Structures are given as C-alpha cells and as structure tokens.
Amino acid sequence: MTKPYRPAFVGTAIQVGIHIFLWLAVLGVMIIWVPRFQKTLADFKFKVPWATEVILSVSEWFVQYWFLLSPLLLILFLILDAPVYFLIRLRYPSKSWLWSGLMILLPLAVLSMIFAALLLPQLKVLEGLSK
C-alpha cells in the first residue's frame, strides 16, 4: 500500500522545494536587492513611476517583517501547496503539471514585475546622465 504513494511523495517534495525556492528568491530580492536600488534612486532625487513606488513600499514592509515572512512562507507551502499538489498528483497525474506550472510561473511573473518596475527609473537615470 505504501508503494504507489512513494513516487508521488518524492515528486511532491521536489516540486514543493522548487516552489519554496522561487518564492524565497522573490523575498530575497525584495529584502536585499530593492533596498540597495532604493538608495541609488534616493541619491538622484527624482520622481519615480507609481509602479516603482509600490515596489519600494512593499520592499520596505518586507524589510521590516522579514523574520515573520520567511517562516510564514514555509508554513504556507507545507500546509497548502504540498497537500494540493500531492492530491492532484495522486488523482490526476497527467494534470499535476498545471498546478506546478502555476506555482512556478507566479513567482517568476512577480520577479519580472519587480525588475520591470525598477528598470524604468534606471533607464531615466541613464538617459539623464547621457545628456
């Protein structure tokens, strides 16, 4: 009875590990990289686009509460992502890639939005420096 569950369990552990890694990368970018970028923007003292303001504000919140967000993220994935993916993998093995794809594309989309929001003011700075 334990043999059918073993591949599903191992596959679930690997996939959930990948999901956790990607969301921790988002957290790391918001805690480490964005504040460094914010210091650079503060040196130039110009108005940034609203998307950049949102990213900078969220990053400040992440920096203040990182010690709560990391364990919360881990618990969230162990309570929600792992059981959902495990059950989908057991009942609908051919469709488990949908959940995994969503949980991989979502943090990649968030990272893309962060980088796009921070790239726009950087381009304006470079444009201003080139004049």
Side-chain angles (χ1 to χ4, degrees), residues 20 23-24 26-28 30-31 57-77:
I20 291 171
W23 281 109
L24 286 176
V26 170
L27 190 62
M30 293 297 281
I31 291 171
S57 298
V58 171
S59 174
E60 287 176 12
W61 189 81
F62 276 29
V63 168
Q64 289 178 356
Y65 299 107
W66 68 269
F67 57 92
L68 294 174
L69 291 172
S70 299
L72 183 66
L73 188 66
L74 184 62
I75 290 169
L76 184 68
F77 276 97

Side-chain angles (χ1 to χ4, degrees), residues 18-35:
I18 292 169
H19 303 167
I20 291 171
F21 173 77
L22 288 172
W23 281 109
L24 286 176
V26 170
L27 190 62
V29 164
M30 293 297 281
I31 291 171
I32 297 168
W33 193 69
V34 174

Side-chain angles (χ1 to χ4, degrees), residues 115-126:
F115 291 130
L118 296 178
L119 181 64
L120 187 60
Q122 189 173 15
L123 291 175
K124 287 183 179 183
V125 167
L126 293 173

Side-chain angles (χ1 to χ4, degrees), residues 30 51-52 55 105-119:
M30 293 297 281
T52 306
I55 295 296
L105 289 177
L106 199 57
L108 292 177
V110 170
L111 284 171
S112 297
M113 286 188 289
I114 292 169
F115 291 130
L118 296 178
L119 181 64

Side-chain angles (χ1 to χ4, degrees), residues 11-53:
T12 299
I14 291 170
Q15 289 296 326
V16 171
I18 292 169
H19 303 167
I20 291 171
F21 173 77
L22 288 172
W23 281 109
L24 286 176
V26 170
L27 190 62
V29 164
M30 293 297 281
I31 291 171
I32 297 168
W33 193 69
V34 174
R36 289 181 185 170
F37 188 80
Q38 185 174 13
K39 289 177 186 175
T40 304
L41 287 176
D43 291 342
F44 288 102
K45 297 179 184 172
F46 71 95
K47 180 101 171 99
V48 295
W50 66 269
T52 306
E53 287 180 16

